Amino acid sequence: MNDLKENNIIVTGATGGIGNSIIKKLYDSGANILATGTKNEKLEELKKKFTNIKVLKFDISQTDNIENFIEDATKQLGDKLDCVVNNAGITQDNLAIRMSIEEWTKVININLTSTFLISKFAIKKMLKNKKGKIINITSVVGHTGNLGQTNYTASKAGIVAMSKSLAIEYAKKNINVNCISPGFIKTAMTDKIDEKFKDVIISKIPSARLGEPEDVANAVIFLASSHSDYINGETLHVNGGMYMA
């Protein structure tokens, strides 16, 4: 979409399958992108692949440094921030009665608390801009629940509720906060799923296939653009009909 040309956009979790697709779509749309992740080699690969992209290594679990991260990233983008895509997240699966407090806390802190803090400090920049877009990547299991993922599902459901509250607080300031909730997408994570279990998952998807990373990236492009200016506090489900809100 042409109206993303020259927009300054931060993408977290940029080096994974979905992150890579988001970067490509935004790059093709003419956006100025700062990609962040925890692996230097992966970030350097992105830099070689996409001319002029900016990269900044950062671990979002370092919550005390998130404000400085947003400050540094915004400076690299010319002191103007138009959009943030909160794509980074982790899983640490276990049955509830076996789940340690460390497994619970780590997932909640990285997936939910860090997303809140990135959004908070990005909104401060956007208020000066008098406009902005926050796009938070959640998950279908944040709506349905899932075996062995009480921590992950809680974090992803929390992102949805948090995003609604942020949208209410800042809609009058021309800042939109929305979520994208992917279903089962073809990534390195789903590649590890046993084929029999994968067949069970696909049997529950009306589209009868796993999604592609590009399906999520297309939703990001829409929510980052002016075509979504009157959409706020919503969750766009990208799951082939597996869950219908």
Side-chain angles (χ1 to χ4, degrees):
M1 293 183 181
N2 290 334
D3 70 348
L4 287 180
K5 189 174 177 62
E6 305 303 325
N7 271 23
N8 296 331
I9 302 177
I10 296 171
V11 181
T12 73
T15 58
I18 291 175
N20 264 266
S21 288
I22 292 170
I23 295 292
K24 184 180 187 307
K25 289 284 183 180
L26 290 172
Y27 181 82
D28 290 345
S29 299
N32 296 320
I33 306 157
L34 184 136
T36 186
T38 58
K39 296 179 180 178
N40 271 327
E41 64 274 16
K42 294 285 187 181
L43 291 171
E44 287 303 317
E45 285 174 18
L46 281 176
K47 202 171 181 179
K48 288 177 183 176
K49 192 173 181 180
F50 303 107
T51 310
N52 297 328
I53 192 174
K54 295 170 178 62
V55 298
L56 183 59
K57 182 184 176 185
F58 183 67
D59 182 350
I60 66 168
S61 69
Q62 298 173 4
T63 52
D64 289 345
N65 293 324
I66 285 177
E67 184 172 13
N68 288 334
F69 161 71
I70 292 294
E71 190 68 36
D72 292 344
T74 304
K75 280 182 181 177
Q76 286 201 36
L77 289 168
D79 284 322
K80 184 172 79 74
L81 183 59
D82 298 293
C83 178
V84 170
V85 183
N86 281 308
N87 176 58
I90 65 163
T91 59
Q92 281 205 332
D93 299 349
N94 213 338
L95 293 176
I97 62 170
R98 297 174 184 166
M99 185 173 289
S100 68
I101 190 64
E102 289 79 14
E103 288 171 328
W104 171 269
T105 303
K106 186 173 182 179
V107 172
I108 294 295
N109 283 351
I110 290 177
N111 293 2
L112 180 56
T113 305
S114 293
T115 295
F116 164 69
L117 291 171
I118 291 169
S119 299
K120 170 184 174 178
F121 295 118
I123 286 170
K124 285 187 174 184
K125 296 292 182 183
M126 292 170 182
L127 288 170
K128 295 178 183 178
N129 233 17
K130 298 185 178 178
K131 69 182 182 75
K133 301 284 182 88
I134 305 283
I135 302 168
N136 293 325
I137 309 298
T138 177
S139 170
V140 64
V141 298
H143 305 273
T144 64
N146 199 31
L147 177 70
Q149 289 194 315
T150 51
N151 50 2
Y152 183 75
T153 55
S155 71
K156 292 299 185 176
I159 287 173
V160 173
M162 176 194 72
S163 299
K164 290 178 185 290
S165 296
L166 291 175
I168 291 168
E169 289 182 15
Y170 298 102
K172 287 182 180 178
K173 300 297 184 181
N174 206 26
I175 295 172
N176 298 64
V177 185
N178 291 294
C179 293
I180 295 170
S181 183
F184 285 86
I185 307 296
K186 288 181 185 176
T187 61
M189 188 182 294
T190 54
D191 285 345
K192 295 175 185 176
I193 297 174
D194 181 85
E195 287 301 319
K196 288 183 180 179
F197 186 53
K198 196 178 290 184
D199 289 341
V200 171
I201 292 169
I202 291 172
S203 72
K204 297 178 180 179
I205 302 172
S207 295
R209 65 174 179 86
L210 298 182
E212 300 288 343
E214 291 78 11
D215 295 321
V216 180
N218 287 333
V220 169
I221 294 296
F222 170 64
L223 288 178
S225 76
S226 63
H227 293 265
S228 65
D229 281 355
Y230 201 55
I231 298 173
N232 216 350
E234 293 295 339
T235 299
L236 180 53
H237 294 273
V238 183
N239 58 41
M242 184 178 182
Y243 172 83
M244 301 182 190

